[in-house]
Amino acid sequence: MKTIRLTMAQALARFLSVQKTEINGEILPIFGGVWAIFGHGNVAGLGEALYHVQEALPTYRAHNEQGMAHAAIAFAKASNRRRMMACTTSIGPGATNMVTAAALAHVNRLPVLLLPGDVFANRNPDPVLQQIENFADGTVSANDCFKPVSRYFDRITKPEQIIPALNRAMNVLTDPAECGPVTLALCQDTQAEAYDYPESFFAEKIWRIRQPLPDLRELDEALTALKAAKKPIIIAGGGVHYAQATEQLRSFAERHAVPVAETQAGKSALPHDHPLTMGAIGVTGTSAANALAQEADLILAVGTRLQDFTTGSWSLFQNPDRKFVGINIQAFDATKHRSLPVVGDAAVTLELLDQKLADWSAPSDWTLQAATSFKQWQLAADRVTATSDSPFPSDAQVIGAVQRHSTEDSIVVCAAGGLPGELHKLWQAGKPGGYHVEYGYSCMGYEIAGGLGVKMAAPDREVIVMVGDGSYLMMNSEIATSILLDLPLTIVLLDNRGYGCINRLQQGTGGESFNNLLQHTRHQSLPDIDFRAHAQSMGAEATKVSAIAELEEALAKSRASCRTSVIVIDTDPLISTAEGGCWWDVAVPEVSVRKEVISARENYLTALKKQRIGD
Ligand SMILES: Cc1ncc(C[n+]2csc(CCOP(=O)(O)OP(=O)(O)O)c2C)c(N)n1
Ligand SMILES: [Mg+2]
């Protein structure tokens, strides 16, 4: 057997650089690069190794480990999981900074390879700088925090262990059902240790995402249920995009006249003006989608996790005879809430169902009802997004302006605050993938770093990040990275001077405004944060606009610019779009001295009666 003597880190870097993927007939590196922030836990080992493979596997430096992992995850999401990135950190704080991002990837079923440094396998220098020292368990390190949020976790204590570990890692990262974060904790001394690796370990490998066929009995059961339906509706989730099944979804819906509603991850599966689209569903849904969902007798849930925002915490589907059919690559999701499961690839499964349904279609009065209620919704949406000259416009009015400025190729990026709900309801997505909102983990601070990852995946498309002041303050440092890498983003910052959506939620649950908007916090003096100056200090072009018309001018300028632009606009923290939406289960205190809480509790108890679980 021919061997090559390399350190574990050199072997790992070399292995990653020869993993390939096939996209539309083109062979590309599956790893778009490695994000790295070095420290003593990875600079000498993996740092030295990455230096030598930069041609095939570029290294990128970020400013925050969570941020760089967000960028990596966004890159994978924008690539429909066909491509991905790795992230390496030092031991300790650098590593644990990535745990939140690992959870985000875990929830959203997105691939990312996390390579935190770890303590010495030989334990000689113990405790090494930043070693946590668990009193009761000598095998525990800070990296154990990754275990519950990794689909596969391993600690590499011997150089030869990467041979099976990387094979397993690649399997998880490219398996459509298992897909999620993989963490390989790399002990510092092991990174530097040499081994005679078989040459075959470094042979180029092309990974293709498999498309499993569904079980025929499951397919038949789903078919029988569908044929009996009088009021069917499709819920399109993120899986529709990851399976690249948007065309199959569209032709299925058209052939069988089934209206389509979209989750946050599913949005943009159908173009916003398709005659069968009902837009967003659930807590942040359109009145049309939600009215239909209430009556629907058959819910065809495709590639969705059916999280509470989609189901209105299980209050939305009120038809006593309703049936769920779950088309999903992962049985865990396909069988949720007693759905009839059809475990398989969404594109293949929709095609098979389509053929077997032949000329069956939903009754025309149902589709007519759907189209009529969507038209009504559109009128409401047009009203709330129309221009205003108010000094404090609503989020919806800002969205209207950004929408008017955007093109079919623009990609809007968001994650937390009031904006995701407003965007879910109101954004009119053109092409699949034009809407990138992380709402599985809804992680404040994803927006800018995520936008950077999206831009890396789609450098020719305009990336518009919409972000609240709270999320911006939580994490903005990858603006500097976007300047470093010459990857321009358009960032629209909506400053409502605090955590507007949580303040509204607090009021909605009977609470006094407290600790959310800056004015309601314990303070000596109220900060007047100059976001424009802040963004400018990192190298971005930045402006503050005082009205919607000015915002539109600034957006046009930003498109012409080849640098990241930050456009700041003051908005009203108290307004959100009242039209559409449905109940969301947020537990209200059973006893309180506040009469507003008591009354909110009464409303809560009434609402709970609509919750249907386990039937
Ligand atoms: C990391 C993280 N911490 C806390 C939350 C809970 N949370 C959701 S939205 C929000 C406020 C966001 O403020 P901002 O970005 O200004 O948006 P706004 O609500 O004002 O629209 C908070 C604290 C979260 N989603 N993520
Ligand atoms: Mg805010």
Side-chain angles (χ1 to χ4, degrees):
M1 183 176 66
K2 275 201 163 173
T3 58
I4 315 176
R5 188 154 181 85
L6 294 170
T7 67
M8 179 269 264
Q10 289 159 356
L12 177 119
R14 194 147 163 176
F15 175 91
L16 295 183
S17 71
V18 293
Q19 306 307 305
K20 302 286 164 78
T21 185
E22 189 184 338
I23 297 177
N24 305 325
E26 199 188 345
I27 306 298
L28 293 168
I30 198 165
F31 290 100
V34 182
W35 285 101
I37 294 184
F38 294 141
H40 71 93
N42 62 344
V43 70
L46 196 53
E48 192 269 349
L50 288 172
Y51 175 81
H52 296 290
V53 295
Q54 289 181 74
E55 282 281 299
L57 185 70
T59 297
Y60 299 104
R61 178 185 168 290
H63 293 91
N64 175 304
E65 290 88 354
Q66 184 184 337
M68 73 186 191
H70 284 172
I73 296 161
F75 176 88
K77 180 175 163 82
S79 311
N80 284 329
R81 316 198 295 192
R82 290 334 185 244
R83 298 192 72 203
M84 57 197 72
M85 298 183 90
C87 299
T88 175
T89 69
S90 189
I91 290 169
T96 50
N97 265 358
M98 272 200 311
V99 174
T100 299
L104 185 151
H106 195 275
V107 171
N108 287 292
R109 321 279 159 84
L110 292 168
V112 63
L113 178 61
L114 304 174
L115 302 169
D118 211 321
V119 300
F120 277 73
N122 66 21
R123 314 261 178 94
N124 289 342
D126 278 16
V128 67
L129 174 70
Q130 300 165 327
Q131 184 163 342
I132 58 162
E133 297 195 277
N134 183 302
F135 291 180
D137 186 344
T139 68
V140 163
S141 85
N143 286 331
D144 284 73
C145 298
F146 285 100
K147 285 184 175 170
V149 286
S150 297
R151 292 251 185 265
Y152 166 51
F153 174 93
D154 210 340
R155 179 173 282 117
I156 307 299
T157 58
K158 290 217 158 246
E160 59 269 40
Q161 287 169 348
I162 60 167
I163 298 173
L166 281 170
N167 187 47
R168 172 76 185 128
M170 291 310 299
N171 271 295
V172 171
L173 293 167
T174 57
D175 183 309
E178 275 197 278
C179 188
V182 167
T183 304
L184 299 181
L186 308 175
C187 290
Q188 182 181 147
D189 50 344
T190 317
Q191 286 178 46
E193 221 172 292
Y195 180 77
D196 295 311
Y197 289 94
E199 228 175 39
S200 58
F201 185 53
F202 306 107
E204 181 180 288
K205 165 98 183 155
I206 300 168
W207 296 91
R208 293 185 178 85
I209 308 294
R210 65 181 73 88
Q211 294 188 291
L213 294 171
D215 181 292
L216 290 180
R217 288 160 304 180
E218 288 188 351
L219 199 69
D220 275 347
E221 271 196 74
L223 205 66
T224 310
L226 262 166
K227 280 186 172 164
K230 300 273 180 290
K231 297 176 171 189
I233 182 172
I234 293 171
I235 302 179
V240 172
H241 293 283
Y242 306 146
Q244 301 197 318
T246 53
E247 267 308 300
Q248 287 82 352
L249 177 84
R250 191 181 51 73
S251 65
F252 180 94
E254 285 171 2
R255 285 234 311 173
H256 309 293
V258 184
V260 178
E262 295 170 335
T263 69
Q264 283 277 16
K267 193 167 160 99
S268 79
L270 281 193
H272 70 94
D273 51 1
H274 190 278
L276 284 161
T277 189
M278 297 294 105
I281 191 166
V283 178
T284 52
T286 68
S287 52
N290 288 350
L292 240 56
Q294 274 179 20
E295 276 187 56
D297 58 2
L298 190 287
I299 299 109
L300 185 60
V302 190
T304 163
R305 300 183 306 119
L306 293 174
Q307 67 149 313
D308 62 352
F309 262 73
T310 303
T311 65
S313 307
W314 290 101
S315 69
L316 188 54
F317 307 98
Q318 288 296 317
N319 187 326
D321 301 320
R322 60 155 198 207
K323 256 202 181 90
F324 279 83
V325 173
I327 297 182
N328 210 296
I329 193 81
Q330 170 56 263
F332 181 87
D333 294 310
T335 54
K336 270 182 181 163
H337 298 274
R338 305 181 65 235
S339 299
L340 275 177
V342 190
V343 177
D345 173 78
V348 174
T349 306
L350 283 171
E351 250 169 27
L352 283 173
L353 263 185
D354 181 14
Q355 284 162 19
K356 289 189 176 239
L357 275 172
D359 55 6
W360 175 87
S361 71
S364 56
D365 55 344
W366 176 243
T367 25
L368 190 67
Q369 179 187 338
T372 313
S373 45
F374 195 68
K375 276 205 189 88
Q376 274 166 8
W377 163 257
Q378 275 175 315
L379 293 176
D382 289 348
R383 264 196 314 277
V384 296
T385 50
T387 307
S388 103
D389 50 12
S390 152
F392 294 103
S394 65
D395 289 2
Q397 287 162 340
V398 174
I399 289 171
V402 176
Q403 182 90 62
R404 288 190 289 281
H405 150 87
S406 70
T407 70
E408 237 205 7
D409 273 332
S410 307
I411 305 177
V412 67
V413 181
C414 193
L419 276 167
E422 297 293 301
L423 285 166
H424 193 210
K425 280 184 185 180
L426 303 168
W427 187 257
Q428 300 177 339
K431 284 193 208 158
Y435 182 86
H436 181 122
V437 174
E438 186 283 297
Y439 212 67
Y441 212 45
S442 186
C443 184
M444 288 172 75
Y446 175 86
E447 297 86 348
I448 292 168
L452 182 60
V454 174
K455 189 72 184 174
M456 290 176 112
D460 299 332
R461 292 176 73 171
E462 180 187 27
V463 176
I464 307 173
V465 174
M466 294 194 71
V467 62
D469 54 312
S471 270
Y472 179 92
L473 284 175
M474 204 169 271
M475 210 188 309
N476 51 61
S477 50
E478 302 325 327
I479 288 178
T481 316
S482 83
I483 304 289
L484 197 67
L485 295 173
D486 207 3
L487 290 168
L489 307 172
T490 296
I491 300 170
V492 183
L493 196 170
L494 289 80
D495 181 8
N496 58 11
R497 298 152 305 284
Y499 302 152
C501 70
I502 308 295
N503 175 57
R504 294 194 298 272
L505 182 61
Q506 189 169 47
Q507 291 177 342
T509 50
E512 178 71 62
S513 282
F514 163 58
N515 204 50
N516 283 309
L517 297 185
L518 288 172
Q519 57 170 315
H520 303 136
T521 57
R522 185 179 292 265
H523 62 269
Q524 300 300 324
S525 62
L526 268 183
D528 181 12
I529 299 162
D530 187 346
F531 290 104
R532 191 198 56 77
H534 182 269
Q536 217 166 31
S537 75
M538 281 185 282
E541 281 172 8
T543 38
K544 176 152 184 179
V545 297
S546 54
I548 294 289
E550 258 185 63
L551 169 63
E552 296 195 41
E553 278 167 35
L555 283 164
K557 254 201 198 156
S558 133
R559 177 174 296 148
S561 164
C562 47
R563 247 201 305 166
T564 288
S565 327
V566 177
I567 307 169
V568 186
I569 184 163
D570 283 338
T571 51
D572 192 321
L574 298 177
I575 309 175
S576 65
T577 300
E579 287 81 357
C582 70
W583 179 71
W584 181 37
D585 191 344
V586 175
V588 179
E590 212 170 332
V591 292
S592 171
V593 291
R594 272 176 70 79
K595 62 177 189 322
E596 293 87 346
V597 173
I598 299 304
S599 132
R601 174 76 186 181
E602 276 163 21
N603 294 339
Y604 178 61
L605 292 177
T606 311
L608 275 179
K609 292 194 183 114
K610 279 200 177 168
Q611 199 169 44
R612 293 183 50 189
I613 46 172
D615 66 346

